[in-house]
Amino acid sequence: MNSIGLKVHDQDNVATVCCEGVTAGDEITVLDQAGNRQTLSAAAAIPYGHKIAVSPIAPGESIRKYGEVIGTASATIAPGDYVHVHNLDSTRGRGDLARQEEEA
Amino acid sequence: MEFMGYLRPDGRVGARNHVAIIPSVICANDVAQAIVGQVQGTVGYFHHQGCCQLSPDLDRVTETLIGLGCSPNVGAALVISLGCEGTDHERLVREIAATGKPVEIIRIQQLGGFSNAVSAGIKAAQKLAIAISGLQRQPVGVEHITMSIKCGASDTTSGMASNCVIGYVADKLVDLGATVVFGETTEFLGAEHILARRAVNQTVAGRIYEIVEAMENRAKAVGVDMRKGQPTPGNIEGGLSSIEEKSLGAIVKSGTRPIQGVLDYTQQITTQKGLWIKDTPGREPEILTGMACTGAQVMMFSTGRGAPQGFPTMPVIKICGNPITYQHMENDMDLNAGTIITGQRSIQEVGEDAFAQLLRVLSGEMTKNEAIGYHKSIDIHTLGPVI
């Protein structure tokens, strides 16, 4: 099964999966704004509208969508990996981190 | 370009002609509800505030109710006071009356309780309903439009389809000399630098950073990760991983035009034109109330997972970016922007449809939530404790 992903901005390291029922091993064709194609193999099941990594991302490195930072990697991410709350940390509204700093 | 609206004595133009039944405090809701259930043409603002709050919040509640009564979509108002509440119900009546529209008040304790108050309220509302029922719509220029915008129950299609459609309409309205107001300060986190770049001057840019910092600090003070509160579990299930990702998609709906300034939660639009920010939270009952209070005649609302509800006096047009949700919830969604995701139509094509629908709704066509009365849950955003 060949499925489509959309990369919104040139600097993005993730793309949005725009089809249903993607499972591990499926081929995803990622299109960018200019119409360039990149083919990836999905490392896991990825739900409709969720994100797939299009390049390697090291822990602590920024994850970019719309050309902007949407969080940092909390684990090593390889192209084709599913990117969501399990490996992407938000950097905003982190009252938990502020409290840890206060207690330390 | 024109729409058919109701000319108000204060020069504003309404898209609806409701009699608003306004409880000045939560304890008056049951009386208000009984009146709304009986009298044609009435709608109620059933909020949960107005007593045992600190004075800044009590002022905020009074001023919000004033704004809701002054809304150009309201032709007349009936205030339901208990008698011992913390809001200033006399000021409420006085300031709504200053717009030139008919206003009445009934006081539950003074009248001797529920039954007498309902009876007096029905008589008063009946008179008001008849008094405004003959008013005719007139053709008016689109520069009289104040459109509010919001996204709710978002998923990743919101930022790629439905918010883009609203952004298209927002730009078009600003270019035509109308007013557009967006809010959801929480959903500026991670995108505030982009908004600040669009501010007309440094003061406005500074104010944008200020309201975002204040909102983030209020959330951080609780000492937990904001996730689950924002983004919501539904947003996360829809693929939004962080507030930054949600915000970057959310601000697309504000279009591309310069930001003229920041309005406080209770502040009304008087002569302001162009694109404005209103400092509100993201939760629907509170932001919809804030937008109706500002004087917006209509709201364009983007959704991906399917947020169905509207607002009693402000028609809310639901634009769905997710083609699967649209098929599944068609009875609650007004416009399908999912055709952008499936590649069948462009943002501009769906944007033109949305603009045409906006003018029809302003001229009287009901939205789906309006037709079935799915718009009764409202509330007022307060900042301090209930004591």
Side-chain angles (χ1 to χ4, degrees):
Chain A
M1 175 178 162
N2 196 319
S3 305
I4 298 291
L6 293 177
K7 184 173 146 181
V8 191
H9 191 278
D10 283 348
Q11 288 173 12
D12 292 356
N13 47 21
V14 292
T16 303
V17 171
C18 292
C19 48
E20 287 187 275
V22 170
T23 55
D26 284 354
E27 274 205 350
I28 310 274
T29 303
V30 172
L31 300 172
D32 67 12
Q33 296 285 58
N36 298 314
R37 286 161 180 270
Q38 175 187 2
T39 304
L40 296 164
S41 172
I46 305 178
Y48 181 90
H50 289 230
K51 292 175 290 296
I52 184 168
V54 297
S55 48
I57 312 168
E61 205 180 314
S62 291
I63 297 176
R64 303 184 82 91
K65 180 181 168 186
Y66 304 107
E68 300 284 338
V69 176
I70 62 166
T72 55
S74 57
T76 301
I77 298 172
D81 278 355
Y82 176 32
V83 177
H84 200 22
V85 290
H86 59 283
N87 54 10
L88 182 156
D89 263 350
S90 173
T91 62
R92 302 296 298 269
R94 295 299 298 267
D96 55 332
L97 300 181
R99 177 166 284 185
Q100 279 170 22
E101 270 173 35
E102 269 171 34
E103 286 169 1
Chain B
M1 210 174 286
E2 292 177 330
F3 71 100
M4 299 295 288
Y6 294 101
L7 303 186
R8 298 297 176 203
D10 62 352
R12 295 212 246 177
V13 178
R16 295 292 180 269
N17 194 37
H18 297 293
V19 176
I21 309 298
I22 311 179
S24 61
V25 63
I26 178 176
C27 323
N29 278 354
D30 283 72
V31 171
Q33 218 145 16
I35 298 164
V36 170
Q38 194 60 47
V39 185
Q40 293 262 351
T42 60
V43 287
Y45 291 128
F46 307 119
H47 65 93
H48 302 89
Q49 311 300 334
C51 198
C52 296
Q53 295 171 288
L54 302 174
S55 55
D57 272 343
L58 291 171
D59 289 344
R60 202 171 157 98
V61 174
T62 302
E63 284 161 19
T64 303
L65 295 175
I66 289 169
L68 291 176
C70 292
S71 158
N73 286 1
V74 169
L78 173 63
V79 174
I80 317 294
S81 160
L82 177 61
C84 58
E85 63 269 37
T87 48
D88 187 345
H89 49 268
E90 301 302 337
R91 182 182 163 209
L92 176 55
V93 170
R94 203 168 55 241
E95 293 204 23
I96 298 172
T99 63
K101 64 181 79 166
V103 190
E104 299 288 340
I105 181 168
I106 59 163
R107 299 170 180 84
I108 299 169
Q109 288 167 345
Q110 194 187 71
L111 285 163
F114 178 84
S115 309
N116 292 350
V118 170
S119 170
I122 287 174
K123 287 175 197 156
Q126 181 186 32
K127 278 188 194 147
L128 293 170
I130 293 170
I132 66 165
S133 60
L135 193 62
Q136 300 296 309
R137 289 179 182 268
Q138 313 271 341
V140 287
V142 290
E143 69 277 9
H144 291 286
I145 298 172
T146 297
M147 179 180 80
S148 57
I149 53 185
K150 146 112 187 109
C151 52
S154 300
D155 65 16
T156 48
T157 64
S158 304
M160 298 197 303
S162 44
N163 286 349
C164 307
V165 168
I166 295 181
Y168 177 89
V169 175
D171 281 354
K172 184 161 176 151
L173 278 174
V174 168
D175 295 346
L176 288 166
T179 310
V180 178
V181 188
F182 72 111
E184 302 174 271
T185 309
T186 331
E187 292 165 38
F188 299 169
L189 264 74
E192 63 268 58
H193 56 294
I194 301 170
L195 294 175
R197 282 203 293 266
R198 285 170 54 199
V200 284
N201 57 41
Q202 279 309 303
T203 312
V204 173
R207 186 84 185 102
I208 292 170
Y209 281 112
E210 264 171 39
I211 61 169
V212 171
E213 191 184 1
M215 186 67 85
E216 186 169 18
N217 285 343
R218 277 202 294 277
K220 280 168 77 172
V222 182
V224 297
D225 186 347
M226 206 173 77
R227 280 201 278 209
K228 281 192 186 167
Q230 283 281 11
T232 65
N235 296 150
I236 292 170
E237 208 178 303
L240 294 169
S241 305
S242 66
I243 187 63
E244 298 95 309
E245 183 181 11
K246 183 174 177 177
S247 298
L248 290 160
I251 63 162
V252 172
K253 68 183 182 293
S254 69
T256 60
R257 299 300 184 255
I259 296 165
Q260 304 295 324
V262 176
L263 304 166
D264 291 333
Y265 184 74
T266 63
Q267 206 174 334
Q268 294 179 41
I269 288 284
T270 50
T271 56
Q272 299 96 330
K273 296 290 176 191
L275 179 67
W276 289 76
I277 284 174
K278 182 164 247 221
D279 185 17
T280 73
R283 196 167 77 163
E284 276 166 46
E286 286 85 353
I287 180 179
L288 267 59
T289 299
M291 291 302 187
C293 163
T294 220
Q297 302 109 332
V298 65
M299 172 176 274
M300 270 204 175
F301 190 122
S302 152
T303 187
R305 295 180 64 78
Q309 71 273 37
F311 193 81
T313 54
M314 177 180 65
V316 180
I317 302 169
K318 300 284 176 168
I319 301 182
C320 186
N322 185 322
I324 301 162
T325 304
Y326 183 82
Q327 299 300 335
H328 194 55
M329 291 184 69
E330 202 177 338
N331 291 332
D332 294 315
M333 299 293 119
D334 294 286
L335 188 70
N336 183 11
T339 49
I340 295 167
I341 300 287
T342 53
Q344 293 159 286
R345 306 193 71 210
S346 70
I347 290 166
Q348 186 179 347
E349 284 170 332
V350 181
E352 285 298 322
D353 280 359
F355 186 77
Q357 187 159 7
L358 175 81
L359 295 187
R360 291 201 308 273
V361 167
L362 283 162
S363 301
E365 183 180 295
M366 281 193 278
T367 62
K368 288 190 175 163
N369 55 69
E370 237 182 338
I372 55 171
Y374 195 167
H375 53 40
K376 295 178 191 71
S377 295
I378 79 153
D379 225 324
I380 299 167
H381 181 227
T382 55
L383 298 172
V386 171
I387 49 174

